[in-house]
Amino acid sequence: MKIFKRIRGPRIGTKLMMLGALLMIIPFLSYRQLVDMERLLITGQQNAQILTAKGISTLFNGRDDLFKDLPVSNQDYEPLFANPLENAVRIDGRVDDWGSGLQDSFITFGSQLGGEDGDMALLLGERGGQLYGFVRIDDPERVFRDPQVLRLDNADQLRLSFIRTDGEDGRIVLVGDGPGVLTAYEMDADWRFAATGAPENRVTGAMVARERGVDIEFRMPLDLLGSGRFFGLAYADVDDPVSRAVKRISQTLPTAGKQSFDLVVLRSPEVRTIIEGLGFAGARILVIDQSARVRAETGARLEESVPKVTDGWFGSVRRGFETVRPLLHRITLGERYEPIQSSVAESEAVAQAVIQASLDGAPIARQRRLTEAQEIIMAAHPIYSKDSIIGSVVVEQPIDEILTFQRSSLEQVV
């Protein structure tokens, strides 16, 4: 018995350390369970979105007429998307009658950073066989046309280039002697003088001056473009009212290796009508043709969520936790750890891969980071016609509710 009395157990500090290590198993297992729950919820949402995309795609199966109204592929051309206009548009140089849903559809041209003299943003629409355009131009020094001079390339002007129905080059310029109604003229090959001297009344335009630029709105018949719908647009900027020399020409240039014209792609009103009633809150539905062109979409664009900022020590702890969260995921999951894309550029590559996979015949859903503050699930399902694939349906939906639940639970565990 005396021998056992001489044997001493662990010191109190060692006992506390062992107890603390034992208790650490509880948050470890809880953390792992929450992460697995997050993965389960995301997988469930992915499957639900694939089923939604599959259900919508059945509405378009066999409808070749909705996807084969373009005569050429866009592999050699840059697409300029013309959105269907629901209401009549008045040519007055104002964009408020285009509809609130098109305000985010501007395509920018000019300098990479934007805001330089001559930069422009373009919005195209289609209604009743007419092509509508709205151009927002940065031009603080405006020089208008002198009515006493026949030459037309010595003033600020909008140039429309296209291929006519007879295959010849078409050139129309919109120019005015001040803000208000613009006059259209067919031009010679050098863009200097009017070809006939008479205005081209089939094309109308209007200009509104802003503090540091102008807004130009125009309308022209789609029949002028011919069946190919080859189109180009340029703005000739003149800043010196004395020399009247063209300082810069900003235009809708295709990328390197492309043809000299862009391709006007009409978003199908009939396709849009079919999917308009299928959208649900927080989701976005797109219908894409075989050339990866968006033919119709419904639902609001998924914008960046503004994270809630918490002040004080708890806010500092939360921001610190977000920093170490990927490391905790890696330690907890081990080989099963699969991080989502960490940059917007990688996310865009994932989006293209999802679309291409669906056009190759594989239903697919992937999680990707839309912005630094928002993650979404993108699901796609092919559209069939007999034995071929004519398009794809894409359903995008954020996972904000899942992440909010998971992060609040993780904070309680920590």
Side-chain angles (χ1 to χ4, degrees):
M1 298 297 294
K2 294 182 178 181
I3 297 176
F4 291 103
K5 290 182 179 180
R6 294 179 181 178
I7 298 176
R8 295 183 177 181
R11 295 178 180 274
I12 185 66
T14 306
K15 293 179 180 179
L16 291 176
M17 291 180 60
M18 294 174 62
L19 180 61
L22 182 63
L23 292 178
M24 283 295 295
I25 298 177
I26 299 176
F28 175 82
L29 295 177
S30 300
Y31 190 95
R32 182 162 184 164
Q33 183 181 12
L34 286 172
V35 173
D36 286 337
M37 185 179 297
E38 174 195 8
R39 294 160 64 95
L40 179 62
L41 292 174
I42 290 176
T43 301
Q45 183 170 327
Q46 288 177 340
N47 294 335
Q49 287 184 215
I50 290 180
L51 290 176
T52 301
K54 181 180 180 180
I56 298 174
S57 67
T58 59
L59 300 176
F60 299 98
N61 287 340
R63 296 296 305 273
D64 301 72
D65 57 306
L66 300 179
F67 295 91
K68 293 186 177 180
D69 59 342
L70 290 178
V72 297
S73 170
N74 67 342
Q75 295 180 356
D76 298 324
Y77 303 88
E78 290 293 333
L80 294 176
F81 294 104
N83 300 276
L85 299 174
E86 299 178 354
N87 305 316
V89 173
R90 181 180 179 182
I91 305 301
D92 55 1
R94 305 184 185 279
V95 75
D96 51 0
D97 54 355
W98 281 63
S100 57
L102 300 180
Q103 300 301 319
D104 298 329
S105 301
F106 277 95
I107 309 172
T108 58
F109 299 93
S111 61
Q112 294 183 351
L113 299 179
E116 295 186 7
D117 190 12
D119 288 353
M120 62 180 180
L122 173 64
L123 178 63
L124 291 179
E126 183 271 335
R127 178 181 170 87
Q130 298 283 331
L131 178 65
Y132 291 80
F134 189 92
V135 191
R136 180 159 289 161
I137 304 165
D138 295 324
D139 186 11
E141 301 293 336
R142 275 91 65 179
V143 177
F144 301 109
R145 181 197 174 193
D146 184 353
Q148 304 300 323
V149 179
L150 293 179
R151 188 168 172 173
L152 297 178
D153 65 339
N154 55 7
D156 295 334
Q157 59 188 252
L158 190 68
R159 298 175 177 178
L160 309 179
S161 305
F162 53 94
I163 302 295
R164 299 186 311 206
T165 54
D166 57 3
E168 298 295 328
D169 291 341
R171 289 175 290 270
I172 292 180
V173 69
L174 286 165
V175 65
D177 54 7
V181 177
L182 301 179
T183 305
Y185 296 95
E186 290 191 28
M187 299 296 293
D188 59 13
D190 297 325
W191 294 94
R192 293 185 178 181
F193 297 95
T196 62
E200 173 54 84
N201 295 323
R202 290 178 296 178
V203 181
T204 58
M207 174 194 295
V208 171
R210 295 183 285 107
E211 182 178 358
R212 295 189 56 82
V214 294
D215 291 340
I216 297 178
E217 190 176 22
F218 68 89
R219 178 182 62 209
M220 63 184 300
L222 275 170
D223 294 341
L224 286 179
L225 305 183
S227 60
R229 302 190 191 122
F230 302 115
F231 181 76
L233 184 144
Y235 180 74
D237 182 23
V238 176
D239 287 345
D240 191 343
V242 178
S243 65
R244 290 185 172 271
V246 176
K247 178 182 178 181
R248 181 186 178 190
I249 298 179
S250 301
Q251 51 191 334
T252 59
L253 275 177
T255 56
K258 303 284 185 176
Q259 300 293 334
S260 59
F261 284 92
D262 297 312
L263 180 67
V264 176
V265 178
L266 303 182
R267 294 193 171 178
S268 308
E270 185 175 353
V271 177
R272 183 181 179 185
T273 301
I274 293 175
I275 67 172
E276 258 184 350
L278 302 177
F280 49 97
R284 182 172 175 232
I285 301 174
L286 302 95
V287 178
I288 299 173
D289 62 17
Q290 183 59 43
S291 298
R293 297 176 290 229
V294 179
R295 307 310 302 271
E297 63 179 298
T298 185
R301 292 178 178 270
L302 304 181
E303 300 177 351
E304 179 178 355
S305 300
V306 180
K308 297 180 180 180
V309 179
T310 305
D311 298 327
W313 67 271
F314 186 75
S316 301
V317 172
R318 171 174 290 187
R319 288 187 290 270
F321 172 73
E322 289 296 328
T323 303
V324 301
R325 182 168 174 257
L327 178 61
L328 293 176
H329 269 52
R330 184 181 296 276
I331 295 174
T332 306
L333 298 178
E335 296 180 355
R336 296 190 301 159
Y337 175 69
E338 297 178 1
I340 67 169
Q341 290 66 34
S342 59
S343 67
V344 177
E346 292 175 341
S347 181
E348 291 299 323
V350 170
Q352 295 177 6
V354 169
I355 294 175
Q356 188 58 49
S358 65
L359 293 176
D360 292 337
I364 186 175
R366 292 283 300 275
Q367 179 184 356
R368 69 186 185 97
R369 188 180 299 278
L370 186 64
T371 66
E372 293 300 328
Q374 188 178 64
E375 300 169 18
I376 68 171
I377 291 177
M378 182 177 182
H381 193 281
I383 300 172
Y384 297 96
S385 178
K386 297 181 179 179
D387 296 331
S388 62
I389 298 174
I390 59 177
S392 174
V393 172
V394 177
V395 178
E396 295 180 344
Q397 189 173 9
I399 57 174
D400 294 343
E401 295 182 358
I402 296 177
L403 294 180
T404 300
F405 163 76
Q406 190 244 17
R407 287 171 182 171
S408 61
S409 301
L410 290 179
E411 288 172 359
Q412 294 178 13
V413 172
V414 173

